[in-house]
Amino acid sequence: MNEAAGGAVPASRPAPADASAGATPVPPPLPAAPAASPVRRPRTGADLAVLAVVGVLLVAAVAAGVGSLYRQFYGPTAFVERYLSLLGDGRAADALAVPGVSVDSAELEAAGLPATASEALLRPAALAGLTDVRAVSEETDGDVTRVTMSFTAGGHDGTATFDVAPDGWAGVVPTWRFAHTPLAVLDLTVRGSMRFTVNGFEVDKRQVSAAGAEADPLGAVPLLVFSPGLYSVSVDTPISSTAGVAVLADKPLANVPLDLQAEPTDAFVSLVQQRVDEFLADCATQQVLQPTGCPFGYVVTDRIDGVPTWRIDEKPVIAVEPDGADWAIPATEAVAHVAVDVVSLFDGSVRHVSKDVPFKIGGTITVLPDGTASIRVSAP
């Protein structure tokens, strides 16, 4: 536009430079600087603290896991649990092989137990099962750890405490042994029979007694048994029997006494009754006033005419009762009847005598080594 007209070039729109005029070129504007980032604080300390906490937790978890594995598989309680598990499974030989279970005569004597105790019951046939085995407590005193377990044996609940001691290492895990054998001694006296059963396993005194065939029928028989365990003893022979009597062995190296009296069987009493009846019947066949070896007779002061006759009018009702190692027939009443003609020595007259003769009968019964019985009947 024309300056005279008052127009002017706006300052915001500079006139292009004329290169030919030799003007200095103007550089393009610089780009805007980026916005400044906020200053960050170092996180190394916090991260280390978190890692330390995590590490502690991991170590605690590992330690807890190792402790749990130790208790479950490698500790004293686990050792006792394995022993009880073997008993519960009827594995008597394996249980006897557990370190510290087997016992010698010296250890028995030191505990005040018979050194001649028989091992006849340390077998599967004489074991009663254990169930509900649980750990109760574990206490360590020096080198010995006392482990208490609860269990159920034959329906009876019980607890038992065992002393366990270190027995070396298997690699990186410890091994254990019983500091004192868990076996006990069943001190058994059975009267009225040389044979009996323990948990259904048959035993003859003469086979387990140190005296052998000369075993005292009334003497106690010491028998080693696994502890804990329930042991039911009974007699069931043709001559004698008992109901089962059970005893719980729940203390290692303990003496467990049991005294059992067998009673005569009904079949045995019936047999004795038959033999007594036969004996009296034989006596009645003797045509004399005093039958030989018989418990009855009749006395006259005159002489007899003819032969007397006997019959048994009231047979005795026989009972049989224990008598030490054998049996006895207690005195029992009976009645015989005699008939005879008697001649008077004074005037020669004859009178007929028909008279009841009361008498008593008793006897002894001896059981022979072969199991048969010798019955001896006599007047009391």
Side-chain angles (χ1 to χ4, degrees):
M1 292 184 60
N2 194 322
E3 285 184 8
V9 178
S12 60
R13 298 176 63 185
D18 186 354
S20 58
T24 302
V26 179
L30 295 175
S37 300
V39 178
R40 296 187 178 179
R41 308 173 83 184
R43 298 187 60 185
T44 304
D47 291 344
L48 289 177
V50 171
L51 289 176
V53 172
V54 171
V56 170
L57 293 176
L58 286 175
V59 170
V62 170
V66 170
S68 177
L69 288 174
Y70 174 81
R71 288 189 298 272
Q72 186 174 359
F73 297 106
Y74 307 115
T77 296
F79 170 76
V80 175
E81 285 178 336
R82 284 193 294 274
Y83 164 72
L84 298 181
S85 176
L86 293 174
L87 295 184
D89 293 340
R91 297 166 59 184
D94 292 333
L96 195 59
V98 171
V101 174
S102 295
V103 64
D104 57 24
S105 58
E107 188 174 357
L108 289 174
E109 287 181 344
L113 299 173
T116 57
S118 170
E119 297 183 356
L121 298 184
L122 301 179
R123 63 184 67 208
L127 284 178
L130 292 178
T131 58
D132 298 329
V133 175
R134 298 180 182 179
V136 175
S137 65
E138 178 180 309
E139 300 177 357
T140 300
D141 182 8
D143 290 336
V144 174
T145 300
R146 297 179 63 82
V147 177
T148 300
M149 307 291 294
S150 66
F151 59 87
T152 300
H156 297 270
D157 296 333
T159 60
T161 300
F162 307 88
D163 290 343
V164 179
D167 194 33
W169 294 82
V172 296
V173 297
T175 58
W176 306 91
R177 70 187 316 275
F178 285 108
H180 305 290
T181 177
L183 300 182
V185 173
L186 179 61
D187 195 29
L188 181 60
T189 302
V190 178
R191 293 189 297 272
S193 178
M194 294 295 282
R195 291 187 293 127
F196 53 89
T197 63
V198 180
N199 289 346
F201 176 71
E202 187 169 304
V203 180
D204 190 303
K205 288 182 185 178
R206 292 159 290 195
Q207 294 175 341
V208 297
S209 171
E214 303 301 321
D216 181 0
L218 298 180
V221 179
L223 300 164
L224 283 169
V225 293
F226 287 106
S227 171
L230 186 73
Y231 295 91
S232 177
V233 182
S234 62
V235 174
D236 185 12
T237 71
I239 290 178
S240 58
S241 66
T242 66
V245 177
V247 62
L248 183 64
D250 58 359
K251 185 178 180 182
L253 270 181
N255 184 69
V256 185
L258 181 60
D259 196 314
L260 192 63
Q261 174 65 65
E263 298 295 334
T265 62
D266 291 342
F268 182 44
V269 175
S270 178
L271 176 63
V272 174
Q273 179 74 63
Q274 179 183 340
R275 293 292 184 264
V276 170
D277 291 346
E278 292 172 352
F279 168 76
L280 294 178
D282 287 341
C283 286
T285 63
Q286 298 185 39
Q287 295 180 326
V288 293
L289 290 178
Q290 297 292 333
T292 303
C294 297
F296 55 82
Y298 186 68
V299 177
V300 297
T301 56
D302 296 316
R303 63 183 179 87
I304 62 174
D305 184 17
V307 294
T309 59
W310 290 94
R311 70 173 185 265
I312 306 299
D313 277 4
E314 293 184 16
K315 296 179 181 180
V317 178
I318 292 301
V320 177
E321 61 184 23
D323 182 25
D326 296 306
W327 306 91
I329 303 171
T332 306
E333 294 182 350
V335 176
H337 185 88
V338 64
V340 64
D341 290 333
V342 177
V343 178
S344 173
L345 295 177
F346 177 72
D347 58 11
S349 60
V350 178
R351 72 182 191 279
H352 181 71
V353 174
S354 180
K355 186 175 181 63
D356 287 339
V357 181
F359 66 95
K360 290 184 177 181
I361 189 171
T364 58
I365 305 170
T366 303
V367 180
L368 304 178
D370 62 358
T372 60
S374 172
I375 304 172
R376 182 176 181 179
V377 181
S378 61

